[in-house]
Amino acid sequence: MKILALEFSSAQRSVAVLEEGAGAGAAVLGEASETGTRATRAFGLIEEALRQARFEREQIECLAVGLGPGSYVGIRLAISLAQGWQLARPVQLLGASSAEGLAVQAQADGLRGRIGVVIDAQRGEFYLADYELTATARREVGPLRLVPGAEVLARQQAGVTLLGPEVAQWFPGSRMLFPRAAAIGQLAQGRRDFIAGEKLEPIYLREARFVKAPPPRVGIPQREGSP
């Protein structure tokens, strides 16, 4: 299966083209990324990755989308691209956790033992997921959750390796690692739990809170001469 992976959940956006094979992982045939620009050149990144892979758009069979957590705007853009692609062409869609993608990257980079994937959730909170990495296996030992900074710091003081996008600015000594589309594509390999475009949603662990505005006060007009 030929996969186009989109990962826009952080300040570093990337697109990758992969092809499933008989080996342990999907082969990355093309990858393009950009960092720090305000406007994402989404179609430019897609065209560059396809050019490297020597694929045409019509050859793509599956789009894999990094669902975060992270930049809500970036994730929504990736989802919109996937939805539009599915409307225009007969492709399958898959969603994957950007946090798990970071664990995949950490394992590929040679990290071993307990790691904590940390992503800024704003409001003084962080998304945290714990993994145990070996040379041949990756095991989630703590599910993705929202925690205060003190809990992340306690993990670091206990000897857990922290990693994530821009994490070092809050926890010095941590490993800076941005989610990559290639890792999202690797997570998509072998999966067949395809999803309709309208079912793709960003990973967002906070409950939606709405404050109902009070009804407008309507003044009763007074008759002339009344008190």
Side-chain angles (χ1 to χ4, degrees), residues 63-136:
L63 266 72
V65 181
L67 298 179
S71 166
Y72 194 78
V73 173
I75 298 165
R76 275 293 180 194
L77 173 59
I79 289 174
S80 296
L81 283 169
Q83 290 171 335
W85 200 300
Q86 190 177 58
L87 286 173
R89 303 185 187 280
V91 296
Q92 305 289 356
L93 301 184
L94 288 170
S97 163
S98 301
E100 187 176 1
L102 284 167
V104 169
Q105 292 170 228
Q107 185 184 33
D109 288 348
L111 268 67
R112 301 292 180 259
R114 184 69 60 90
I115 67 164
V117 174
V118 180
I119 299 171
D120 180 27
Q122 302 183 350
R123 306 182 196 176
E125 293 182 310
F126 296 87
Y127 295 103
L128 174 65
D130 299 302
Y131 291 86
E132 187 74 33
L133 304 180
T134 68
T136 57

Side-chain angles (χ1 to χ4, degrees), residues 1-4 19 57-63 90-93 194:
M1 184 167 66
K2 296 176 176 63
I3 301 169
L4 179 72
E19 186 168 17
R57 291 188 184 189
E58 293 78 8
Q59 293 177 267
I60 296 299
E61 300 166 279
C62 175
L63 266 72
V91 296
Q92 305 289 356
L93 301 184
F194 303 119

